[in-house]
């Protein structure tokens, strides 16, 4: 899990911490090796006054090509869940724990590869800065990678999903990743669990 001489994203952070400055700076991040083969940095997106911060794992194939988070199959599950839970996209800032796509090649196909702990840690300064600037009311933590970044190595989504947690000044709810919904043997059951966690996040906000 060596960082190959890279020391993480911290040295790429801009002097002036604003969301537009962060996004600009992140486009040139070389804090780990993932920037080499990926197309582009996929930074978070959403209004600066968003009450909800949604944190996924890392961009997938389509996100890497388009440069925006959650625009592929997992994004469609997320959008559906948010709508059914009554969470307006205008209230939501969506980002990922790791901001470059990680993959292995199988012929011409790019197969998603889970980010390593070293990559999660290298990328953490971007996520920390987004969290500090947005000051969301509620953080929705999607899956194990986001949980590792935000809630620590000992946290288990399967044990603590559907609980209202504290994360600094914010509240947080951890749930399964929408890609796990797509892979589940019983997709409908998995989706209903995901939706009920999103509803809990919605209910736990002030209005
Ligand atoms: N999965 C994620 O975790 N994030 C994305 O942006 C897309 C798929
Ligand atoms: Fe930088 Fe994160 Fe991309 Fe690594 S994954 S190069 S730390 S933005």
């Amino acid at each position: 899990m060596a960082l190959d001489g890279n020391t993480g994203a911290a040295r790429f952070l801009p002097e002036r911490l604003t969301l537009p400055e962060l996004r600009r700076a992140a486009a040139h991040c070389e804090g780990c090796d993932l920037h080499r083969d990926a197309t582009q940095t996929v930074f978070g997106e959403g209004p600066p006054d968003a009450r909800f911060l949604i944190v996924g794992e890392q961009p997938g194939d389509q996100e890497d090509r388009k440069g925006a988070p959650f625009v592929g199959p997992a994004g469609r599950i997320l959008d559906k869940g948010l709508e059914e839970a009554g969470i307006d996209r205008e209230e939501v800032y969506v980002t990922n724990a790791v901001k470059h796509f990680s993959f292995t090649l199988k012929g011409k196909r790019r197969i998603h590869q889970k980010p390593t702990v070293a990559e999660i840690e290298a990328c953490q300064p971007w996520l920390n800065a987004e969290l500090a600037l947005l000051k969301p009311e509620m953080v929705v933590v999607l899956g194990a990678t986001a949980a590792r970044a935000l809630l620590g190595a000992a946290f288990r989504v399967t044990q603590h999903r559907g609980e209202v947690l504290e994360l600094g000044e914010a509240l947080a709810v951890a749930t399964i990743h929408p890609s796990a919904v797509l892979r589940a043997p019983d997709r409908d059951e998995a989706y209903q669990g995901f939706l009920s966690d999103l509803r809990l996040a919605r209910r736990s906000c002030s209005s």
Side-chain angles (χ1 to χ4, degrees):
M1 297 216 184
L3 282 174
D4 290 353
N6 293 319
T7 52
R11 70 198 161 98
F12 296 93
L13 288 185
E15 264 176 40
R16 240 164 46 90
L17 286 179
T18 66
L19 286 170
E21 290 288 329
L22 276 186
R23 164 183 286 274
R24 260 195 292 279
H28 305 289
C29 183
E30 298 183 359
C32 75
D33 287 341
L34 292 182
H35 73 94
R36 290 201 189 144
D37 296 326
T39 309
Q40 57 191 320
T41 305
V42 178
F43 205 67
E45 273 189 10
D49 60 350
R51 295 197 303 155
F52 292 82
L53 170 62
I54 303 207
V55 184
E57 179 184 83
Q58 61 166 340
D61 180 74
Q62 295 195 34
E63 288 80 14
D64 173 75
R65 296 175 199 276
K66 293 186 181 146
F70 284 104
V71 291
R76 284 191 282 283
I77 299 289
L78 177 61
D79 286 348
K80 183 164 141 68
L82 289 175
E83 194 183 332
E84 287 193 57
I87 300 174
D88 186 348
R89 279 311 286 256
E90 291 304 302
E91 296 184 289
V92 170
Y93 182 99
V94 182
T95 196
N96 284 301
V98 173
K99 274 133 173 104
H100 273 107
F101 180 37
S102 176
F103 61 93
T104 48
L105 278 179
K106 207 169 180 186
K108 280 193 179 165
R109 284 185 58 210
R110 305 194 302 171
I111 309 295
H112 160 273
Q113 208 180 20
K114 226 170 116 65
T116 64
V117 170
E119 288 157 356
I120 297 169
E121 287 175 355
C123 213
Q124 183 103 36
W126 298 120
L127 182 60
N128 290 351
E130 286 173 301
L131 188 57
L133 287 169
L134 285 158
K135 298 190 180 60
E137 228 178 280
M138 171 61 69
V139 183
V140 179
V141 181
L142 300 177
T145 296
R148 164 80 209 212
L150 291 165
L151 300 164
F155 187 86
R156 293 288 169 270
V157 174
T158 45
Q159 279 171 27
H160 296 289
R161 63 179 297 185
E163 292 175 15
V164 180
L165 312 161
E166 281 180 15
L167 182 59
E169 301 282 291
L171 298 175
V173 170
T175 187
I176 56 168
H177 193 285
S179 299
V181 172
L182 290 169
R183 284 194 308 266
D186 186 339
R187 241 195 228 196
D188 197 49
E189 186 189 23
Y191 176 75
Q192 289 308 323
F194 174 67
L195 179 57
S196 101
D197 294 340
L198 291 181
R199 287 190 166 132
L200 174 67
R202 176 74 194 88
R203 277 203 308 280
S204 309
C205 267
S206 56
S207 58

